[in-house]
Amino acid sequence: MDNVKFINSLRFKLIAITIVLILFPIILFSIVYSSLVKDIISKKYSESAIQSVYEAGENIDFILNDIREFSNALLANRDMISALNDKNNMDVVAFRSLLRSFFTSREDIDAIYVYAGRRVYSVGVNKVAEMEDYMPISKLAETDGEIVWINTRREKIKILAGEFDKYYFSLGRKLIDFNTLEELGLLTVDIDEMILESSYKSLISGDIEQIFIANKYGEIVSHPDKSKIGQSIENEVYAKEILAAEKKSGYISFKDQGVKKIAIYSTCDVNDWKLVKIIPYWYLYREIDEIQWKLIRIGVLYVMITSFFMLLFSLKITEPIINMMKLMKKAENGDLGVQIDTKGQDEIGQLGMSFNTMINKMRSLINKLIEEERHKKELEFEVLHAQINPHFLYNTLNTIRWMAKIQGAKSASSALTALIKLLMISINFGKDMISLEEEIEYVKNYILIQRLRFNERFTIDYNLEEACLSCHIPKLILQPIVENSIIYGLQEEDAKPLNIEIKAYNRQDMLIVEVSDNGPGIKPEILKNILKSEKDANKFSTVGLNNINQRIKLAFGESYGIKIFTKENHGTNIVVELPCKGEVLCKIEA
């Protein structure tokens, strides 16, 4: 009866579901890993091993090619060719000194031999046996001057009072005077076989692997086990296919005494030597298999531990946590009015109270930030707007001063009347937005004053669509642009007459106002900094174009503002883009 009750309990169901949900992804992962992931990893691992062998083969190619170039340098040396051409009068000491200079220039060369007639000249290690004892001189003499690579052999060398075994491979070729094509003798260069081994030694990670270099006839010329040097691989299962391979690098799979193996090879371009690495498949993928077994063991252990903890804490822990998670999710989605019902006094209850406190503080902080941002924007807008007044007032008063000086007091009344109208629009009793028609009227009053100052050296045309005159825009955005056109277009006494045109039209629900002139334009070094937030150098300050741009962006967003199109000595076109919707909607008649 107790067993039936336990089976029907929520705790048992929760534990059973948990175990199933844990086991299912583990089993699914194992199947996917075995059938797909393992194959991919194995392929990548094989490609990595092939690439390592290829890179080692490239390294060997570089070594052999470097030795070949060294022999070319010997053949091209004029002093050597001259000495060999005049064997009877050869200065033997000087010739050996010449050979020694070549020998000491290389650390990877152990000996250099030159056979000229019956004489042998050599520098390098002191060998017990003479060259004729192991080198088919007659066979080398039958060549036409091409390079012959002589297989690695064991030699005894003398060092102080002792004799030691060492393995060398050699480069051999005829010495030919390229001017007369006369055969002057034979050259051999001995190189320590350890140089070859060092190029692939990093690929050896255990005794299971085999790696060696064989020539195109299958004779081993380098091997970590020196006793195998000189042996042939022709009878091996993989040998025929590798020796006949035309590809630069690759691999073949084969079975050796029932064991599946892979032979990876890379071909040296210089002499068709093959670098071969043989690895059993099980050894190549041993780390992958170890990872798979570790994952299985971790999965089983995880199921056992999870089941144990679910048995202890299933109902009491999960239910309040799930309820809390739901409320937290609502808060995450923006509902900051949630509150957790904290009945208990344990850790979960304390967590609920902390969550409620956090939500209350977040609401308070968000409201505070919204209010601060609104206030900050208002202040910024007021500061930017206020910058216009002192700048403009200075220019206006300066104009009146020049007018009074030149013309006396006759035009003062007109100038002061225009100034009063300008100041009334500027103050405008706290209104930030005025109609385009009012802004144009403001510009006309400003032009009246400037005509008196500049003696009517400029003209201004208005090309305004009737439907756009009722659009509401931030006040005082056109006057600074016109001011720039006049001041910098007429700053030279002999400047040509200035023509200014103001256009307004609607384009794709956007109000476009253009102020263009035929003035001197804006220099590139000034143009690139003119709309930056900081104060710019030269004549355009933040009180002018930059001020207008910032005010528009503060009011309507980053999508709006001013654009400047100018070419030095060919005029300037300032394009003001404003929204034409909502409060600033252009009332275009159908």
Side-chain angles (χ1 to χ4, degrees):
M1 191 71 178
D2 290 338
N3 291 335
V4 174
K5 186 177 180 180
F6 178 72
I7 292 173
N8 292 326
S9 67
L10 180 60
R11 179 174 298 177
F12 175 79
K13 293 177 181 178
L14 187 59
I15 294 172
I17 292 172
T18 302
I19 293 175
V20 170
L21 291 176
I22 292 172
L23 283 177
F24 178 75
I26 290 176
I27 294 171
L28 180 63
F29 175 78
S30 299
I31 295 172
V32 172
Y33 179 85
S34 298
S35 61
L36 181 61
V37 178
K38 186 177 179 181
D39 291 340
I40 294 173
I41 295 175
S42 299
K43 184 178 179 181
K44 294 294 183 184
Y45 201 95
S46 300
E47 290 175 354
S48 175
I50 293 168
Q51 182 64 24
S52 298
V53 173
Y54 173 78
E55 290 174 359
E58 289 288 295
N59 199 16
I60 295 169
D61 241 341
F62 177 80
I63 292 170
L64 296 177
N65 190 59
D66 191 38
I67 296 169
R68 181 175 64 182
E69 293 300 322
F70 175 74
S71 71
N72 290 337
L74 281 169
L75 265 66
N77 186 270
R78 292 183 179 180
D79 293 337
M80 177 175 287
I81 298 301
S82 297
L84 292 174
N85 273 320
D86 192 10
K87 298 183 184 67
N88 295 328
N89 299 317
M90 179 189 292
D91 186 343
V92 176
V93 175
F95 187 72
R96 288 183 182 275
S97 177
L98 176 63
L99 288 179
R100 186 165 297 281
S101 68
F102 277 99
F103 173 74
T104 55
S105 67
R106 300 289 295 254
E107 295 183 356
D108 54 349
I109 302 297
D110 273 32
I112 300 175
Y113 286 84
V114 174
Y115 297 86
R118 296 187 177 183
R119 294 184 179 181
V120 180
Y121 305 95
S122 65
V123 292
V125 295
N126 189 11
K127 299 181 182 179
V128 175
E130 294 298 328
M131 190 71 174
E132 290 84 357
D133 295 339
Y134 59 81
M135 163 47 186
I137 297 294
S138 58
K139 188 174 181 180
L140 183 60
E142 295 173 359
T143 64
D144 294 324
E146 67 272 14
I147 292 175
V148 176
W149 293 94
I150 302 165
N151 289 349
T152 307
R153 69 273 172 193
R154 184 177 65 180
E155 296 187 27
K156 286 190 177 296
I157 61 171
K158 292 180 181 180
I159 301 178
L160 298 177
E163 295 182 358
F164 301 90
D165 287 340
K166 205 165 186 180
Y167 290 83
Y168 293 102
F169 69 98
S170 303
L171 175 146
R173 66 188 306 175
K174 275 186 178 180
L175 290 168
I176 298 175
D177 186 343
F178 292 114
N179 293 322
T180 63
L181 299 181
E182 180 183 356
E183 297 180 5
L184 305 177
L186 303 175
L187 167 72
T188 62
V189 180
D190 289 351
I191 305 100
D192 192 344
E193 180 269 342
M194 290 299 293
I195 290 178
L196 296 176
E197 184 179 344
S198 65
S199 65
Y200 61 77
K201 196 169 184 179
S202 61
L203 300 179
I204 305 172
S205 57
D207 297 334
I208 303 298
E209 299 169 296
Q210 295 184 54
I211 188 164
F212 56 86
I213 300 174
N215 62 17
K216 60 184 177 181
Y217 303 109
E219 298 169 344
I220 296 176
V221 296
S222 179
H223 198 292
D225 183 357
K226 305 307 175 190
S227 64
K228 294 186 178 180
I229 291 178
Q231 295 181 9
S232 176
I233 63 169
E234 284 186 323
N235 295 327
E236 300 292 341
V237 179
Y238 56 85
K240 185 176 180 181
E241 189 172 347
I242 286 181
L243 293 176
E246 295 181 357
K247 291 174 62 177
K248 170 75 175 175
S249 61
Y251 69 95
I252 63 168
S253 300
F254 65 97
K255 279 191 176 183
D256 183 15
Q257 297 179 351
V259 179
K260 191 177 180 182
K261 297 182 179 181
I262 180 173
I264 305 169
Y265 69 89
S266 179
T267 307
C268 299
D269 292 329
V270 175
N271 53 10
D272 290 332
W273 285 0
K274 305 277 187 181
L275 174 63
V276 183
K277 181 177 181 179
I278 300 173
I279 319 169
Y281 265 97
W282 65 265
Y283 184 77
L284 183 65
Y285 303 138
R286 70 192 187 285
E287 294 178 354
I288 300 174
D289 292 333
E290 288 176 5
I291 292 172
Q292 186 177 17
W293 279 111
K294 285 180 180 178
L295 289 174
I296 292 173
R297 289 196 292 268
I298 290 171
V300 172
L301 182 62
Y302 178 69
V303 171
M304 294 173 62
I305 294 174
T306 305
S307 300
F308 174 74
F309 279 103
M310 286 301 300
L311 181 64
L312 294 178
F313 304 110
S314 55
L315 275 179
K316 189 174 181 179
I317 300 299
T318 57
E319 186 175 358
I321 288 178
I322 291 173
N323 292 333
M324 192 178 297
M325 286 176 62
K326 291 178 179 178
L327 293 174
M328 287 181 176
K329 194 68 177 177
K330 287 183 178 180
E332 181 183 340
N333 293 330
D335 184 3
L336 298 182
V338 298
Q339 290 288 303
I340 295 176
D341 186 11
T342 55
K343 295 180 180 180
Q345 297 298 319
D346 56 7
E347 290 81 2
I348 296 176
Q350 293 177 17
L351 183 62
M353 288 187 289
S354 298
F355 176 78
N356 292 339
T357 303
M358 181 188 69
I359 290 294
N360 292 332
K361 287 184 177 180
M362 285 177 63
R363 282 201 301 267
S364 176
L365 286 173
I366 288 172
N367 292 334
K368 185 178 179 181
L369 285 173
I370 291 172
E371 181 62 25
E372 287 179 352
E373 281 297 316
R374 185 188 64 78
H375 187 59
K376 180 181 177 183
K377 188 173 181 180
E378 289 176 355
L379 289 176
E380 288 177 350
F381 196 92
E382 290 175 6
V383 169
L384 289 171
H385 182 72
Q387 288 177 352
I388 294 293
N389 296 329
H391 177 72
F392 169 70
L393 188 58
Y394 169 82
N395 287 330
T396 305
L397 292 176
N398 190 46
T399 299
I400 297 173
R401 181 175 68 86
W402 279 101
M403 179 198 67
K405 184 176 180 181
I406 296 171
Q407 298 182 3
K410 293 181 179 180
S411 301
S413 177
S414 299
L416 288 173
T417 301
L419 176 59
I420 290 170
K421 291 181 179 179
L422 291 178
L423 290 175
M424 286 180 65
I425 296 175
S426 176
I427 297 169
N428 210 16
F429 302 102
K431 288 175 61 179
D432 293 325
M433 306 291 290
I434 62 176
S435 67
L436 178 61
E437 186 175 11
E438 290 176 303
E439 181 73 7
I440 294 297
E441 183 66 25
Y442 182 92
V443 171
K444 288 179 178 179
N445 283 300
Y446 172 77
I447 292 297
L448 174 63
I449 296 174
Q450 295 301 325
R451 284 188 186 280
L452 295 173
R453 173 182 174 181
F454 291 103
N455 197 24
E456 300 189 357
R457 289 165 54 198
F458 66 90
T459 61
I460 184 164
D461 297 319
Y462 303 92
N463 186 3
L464 312 170
E465 290 185 3
E466 185 69 22
C468 291
L469 292 176
S470 59
C471 287
H472 280 71
I473 64 174
K475 64 182 178 181
L476 303 180
I477 63 171
L478 296 184
Q479 179 271 330
I481 301 176
V482 174
E483 179 182 2
N484 278 333
S485 296
I486 295 174
I487 291 177
Y488 305 121
L490 298 175
Q491 58 185 347
E492 302 292 339
E493 290 295 332
D494 58 347
K496 63 182 180 179
L498 180 68
N499 298 318
I500 303 172
E501 181 183 12
I502 301 177
K503 294 193 296 186
Y505 54 91
N506 176 268
R507 184 180 65 195
Q508 296 179 349
D509 293 332
M510 183 181 290
L511 173 62
I512 308 295
V513 182
E514 295 186 20
V515 181
S516 57
D517 63 61
N518 63 338
I522 303 174
K523 294 181 179 180
E525 60 269 20
I526 298 177
L527 182 63
K528 68 180 180 181
N529 294 319
I530 202 168
L531 295 181
K532 287 188 175 178
S533 295
E534 68 273 3
K535 285 197 174 182
D536 305 306
N538 302 317
K539 299 173 181 176
F540 292 88
S541 68
T542 56
V543 210
L545 300 181
N546 185 39
N547 174 276
I548 299 167
N549 192 48
Q550 290 187 60
R551 288 174 59 207
I552 293 172
K553 290 185 180 297
L554 279 171
F556 305 117
E558 292 296 323
S559 300
Y560 303 95
I562 69 172
K563 295 179 181 178
I564 303 174
F565 302 93
T566 183
K567 186 175 182 181
E568 199 168 358
N569 299 320
H570 288 81
T572 302
N573 184 26
I574 308 294
V575 179
V576 183
E577 295 181 344
L578 296 163
C580 208
K581 57 185 179 179
E583 294 183 9
V584 288
L585 178 65
C586 282
K587 299 177 181 178
I588 300 177
E589 299 179 359

